[in-house]
Amino acid sequence: MDWVKIVYSFILLVCGLLIFVTSSSRKGDERKKFISTKAQSYAFVVVIGMLILEVIESIYRTFQGKNSYDGIGISPLIFLTMISVVYLITFLTYRKKYGD
C-alpha cells in the first residue's frame, strides 16, 4: 500500500475520532445531544443516498449487458472522507443554528 494512502487514512481516522469525541464530550446537555443527533442523521441520509445511487448504477450496467462490477465503484477512502466532511459541515451548521 502506498505511504500517502496510509498517512491519509490515519489522519482521517484521527480527525473522525476527534470530531466524535468533541461532539459528545460533555454530558447532560440535551441541546448538544440534539445537535449531534441531527448531524448524524443527515450524514446517514447522505450515506444511504450514495449507496442507493451505487445500486441503481449497478442495475443499469447489468441491464446494458456490461459487467456490474469491473473495478468501477465507490472508493472506500473517498466515501469515508465525504461522509466525514458532510458530518463536520452539518455539525458546525446545526451548532451555529441552535447555539452551543
Side-chain angles (χ1 to χ4, degrees):
M1 187 173 209
D2 193 20
W3 284 102
V4 174
K5 290 180 182 178
I6 293 173
V7 170
Y8 183 72
S9 298
F10 181 74
I11 291 171
L12 183 64
L13 178 66
V14 168
C15 289
L17 287 174
L18 285 175
I19 290 170
F20 179 73
V21 168
T22 57
S23 68
S24 64
S25 62
R26 292 184 233 157
K27 304 290 182 197
D29 191 8
E30 293 176 3
R31 184 179 46 195
K32 290 180 184 176
K33 289 181 183 177
F34 174 73
I35 292 169
S36 178
T37 303
K38 291 279 280 185
Q40 290 170 3
S41 64
Y42 187 79
F44 181 71
V45 167
V46 171
V47 168
I48 296 300
M50 285 183 60
L51 292 176
I52 287 173
L53 288 175
E54 186 68 23
V55 168
I56 290 172
E57 179 187 3
S58 176
I59 291 170
Y60 175 76
R61 292 175 67 77
T62 301
F63 282 125
Q64 291 296 319
K66 300 177 182 174
N67 190 3
S68 64
Y69 181 78
D70 56 357
I72 300 173
I74 298 176
S75 168
L77 194 58
I78 301 297
F79 187 70
L80 288 174
T81 303
M82 192 167 108
I83 296 308
S84 298
V85 168
V86 166
Y87 177 76
L88 177 65
I89 290 171
T90 55
F91 180 75
L92 294 176
T93 303
Y94 285 127
R95 192 170 77 180
K96 184 177 180 181
K97 182 177 178 180
Y98 295 111
D100 192 64

